[in-house]
Amino acid sequence: MYINKNLQEIAYNYLMEKIMEEVFDNDEIYSEEKIAQELGISRTPVRAALQRLNHDNYIDIIPYRGFKLHQTTISDIIQSFQLRCAIEGYCCSYIAKKYNTEKASRTLNELTEILGKQKNILENNRNLYEKDGAYTGKREDINLNEFLEFDVLFHKTIVEFAENQVFNSTFNSYVSTIKFLARSYYKSVIPITIDEHYNILSSMSKGDVDNSYNSLVNHMITPTRLYLKKFNTDLDFF
């Protein structure tokens, strides 16, 4: 069956925006046909877009009924934490070990630029935060997607330094999970995220191998604890 790729992309982006902006309720089942009507297109490209979102664990498809948001499990959270610590922790240590090489210098400069852009987003919205970093604004006051893109780019740049295709493909497969989990908490921890990114970058720039790894793990602990609070549990597996 022929699927118009442009219409599929329109449907995918439309659904992604609704997911990231938390328009969909967790427990409600949504109709494929209704989405197609809202967009004024056929169900075929919408169905293809939903299959992509299901593959990336953004949604769960309910046969003959529709779809609903994917319900994150404790296993999802723990596996993401452990895998990212293993891959990114190693890459941070590796960059620190090679910190005085030309290649590492380029990567550190790229990370500095990315961090600078994240700081600009925070500074442009500083009035939305209390002195302790607590977020006081509304959901739409900050472009969360923009900040998340820079956050993913920061970590992706670290991983790519190792030039390990398995690392790269594994990290890329987790990008959707990272964004999906982050949608519900990220604005509240933007100042903390920037500080933690600075600690990671500073440790690598100094060639501090151990602290580069530890800074990355501590950075992973922050969101993981927030996820696990929903399940009334903590990092007892770490």
Side-chain angles (χ1 to χ4, degrees):
M1 179 183 297
Y2 172 75
I3 299 176
N4 187 309
K5 296 295 184 181
N6 290 332
L7 292 180
Q8 179 185 335
E9 200 64 25
I10 289 172
Y12 181 85
N13 291 335
Y14 177 76
L15 290 161
M16 272 294 297
E17 183 177 354
K18 283 183 172 290
I19 291 170
M20 296 305 293
E21 292 300 324
E22 301 180 73
V23 175
F24 293 136
D25 293 327
N26 285 328
D27 298 323
E28 187 170 344
I29 297 176
Y30 293 90
S31 165
E32 171 189 300
E33 183 175 1
K34 184 177 179 181
I35 297 298
Q37 291 174 351
E38 290 175 3
L39 289 171
I41 61 178
S42 71
R43 295 170 60 179
T44 301
V46 173
R47 187 176 302 116
L50 289 172
Q51 290 293 341
R52 284 175 60 187
L53 291 166
N54 179 63
H55 178 269
D56 290 339
N57 286 328
Y58 282 113
I59 65 167
D60 295 322
I61 293 177
I62 314 299
Y64 308 110
R65 297 183 65 190
F67 68 94
K68 62 188 298 186
L69 287 180
H70 175 68
Q71 299 301 300
T72 304
T73 66
I74 292 180
S75 178
D76 291 333
I77 296 167
I78 293 175
Q79 287 180 24
S80 177
F81 173 81
Q82 292 175 335
L83 183 140
R84 295 190 66 190
C85 284
I87 292 178
E88 296 181 48
Y90 168 82
C91 291
C92 285
S93 299
Y94 188 41
I95 292 173
K97 187 175 181 180
K98 302 287 187 179
Y99 80 104
N100 58 354
T101 65
E102 182 178 347
K103 178 184 174 183
S105 180
R106 287 197 303 270
T107 294
L108 292 169
N109 286 336
E110 290 175 19
L111 293 170
T112 300
E113 290 180 9
I114 296 167
L115 182 55
K117 291 175 181 178
Q118 290 187 300
K119 287 181 178 179
N120 286 338
I121 293 174
L122 174 61
E123 290 306 316
N124 290 338
N125 297 276
R126 177 61 74 176
N127 61 310
L128 300 176
Y129 289 88
E130 302 287 0
K131 289 184 179 179
D132 63 359
Y135 183 66
T136 61
K138 298 178 181 178
R139 184 176 61 193
E140 63 273 16
D141 287 337
I142 292 181
N143 188 333
L144 177 61
N145 288 342
E146 182 182 15
F147 190 88
L148 275 173
E149 289 301 324
F150 286 130
D151 182 71
V152 170
L153 183 58
F154 185 89
H155 290 274
K156 184 176 182 179
T157 301
I158 289 173
V159 172
E160 288 179 344
F161 179 83
E163 297 183 340
N164 184 311
Q165 292 306 311
V166 176
F167 285 0
N168 293 341
S169 61
T170 303
F171 178 83
N172 288 336
S173 72
Y174 266 77
V175 167
S176 58
T177 301
I178 294 167
K179 291 181 179 180
F180 183 76
L181 293 175
R183 81 194 196 286
S184 62
Y185 79 88
Y186 223 92
K187 287 180 181 177
S188 65
V189 297
I190 282 179
I192 298 172
T193 297
I194 290 174
D195 288 342
E196 291 175 347
H197 279 188
Y198 174 80
N199 290 337
I200 295 168
L201 179 58
S202 177
S203 297
M204 292 189 299
S205 298
K206 295 174 183 176
D208 189 335
V209 174
D210 290 340
N211 203 44
S212 294
Y213 175 84
N214 292 334
S215 295
L216 184 282
V217 172
N218 289 334
H219 179 47
M220 292 294 100
I221 285 174
T222 298
T224 305
R225 280 208 167 113
L226 288 173
Y227 303 149
L228 292 177
K229 278 184 179 179
K230 298 180 179 180
F231 298 93
N232 296 316
T233 187
D234 203 349
L235 284 167
D236 55 352
F237 58 88
F238 179 71

